[in-house]
Amino acid sequence: GVGATLDGRKGSRMFAIKDGCSLSLETLRFVDGRADYGGAVWAGLDAGDVAMNDVSFTSCEALQARAPHGHPTPSPRPD
């Protein structure tokens, strides 16, 4: 299918999935998402299922990563 494109313009993520919520996406393109956690899509620790079919990510960046036990660690940066 044709689908849609969501553009974060290097300033935001497109979806934040809260505890108890689920998300299902199909035929979608994420472009230029950027946030501390989850460059395009972020799901909380107690979020439900996140399902994706025919979904792509281009130039999306999470600035931080979480190590086990919730301690922040820097994400590797692309060259």
Side-chain angles (χ1 to χ4, degrees), residues 23-39:
L23 177 69
S24 179
L25 300 171
E26 189 165 332
T27 318
L28 188 60
R29 182 174 173 231
F30 291 96
V31 177
D32 291 333
R34 188 170 196 245
D36 284 342
Y37 302 100

Side-chain angles (χ1 to χ4, degrees), residues 5-58:
T5 298
L6 298 178
D7 190 340
R9 298 182 181 213
K10 290 290 185 195
S12 67
R13 84 173 59 87
M14 282 60 91
F15 288 99
I17 316 309
K18 303 286 183 165
D19 296 347
C21 295
S22 295
L23 177 69
S24 179
L25 300 171
E26 189 165 332
T27 318
L28 188 60
R29 182 174 173 231
F30 291 96
V31 177
D32 291 333
R34 188 170 196 245
D36 284 342
Y37 302 100
V41 178
W42 173 86
L45 291 175
D46 293 321
D49 294 333
V50 177
M52 297 183 192
N53 182 37
D54 194 21
V55 175
S56 67
F57 298 86
T58 304

Side-chain angles (χ1 to χ4, degrees), residues 56-68:
S56 67
F57 298 86
T58 304
S59 299
C60 294
E61 180 180 21
L63 303 175
Q64 300 281 326
R66 287 272 178 195

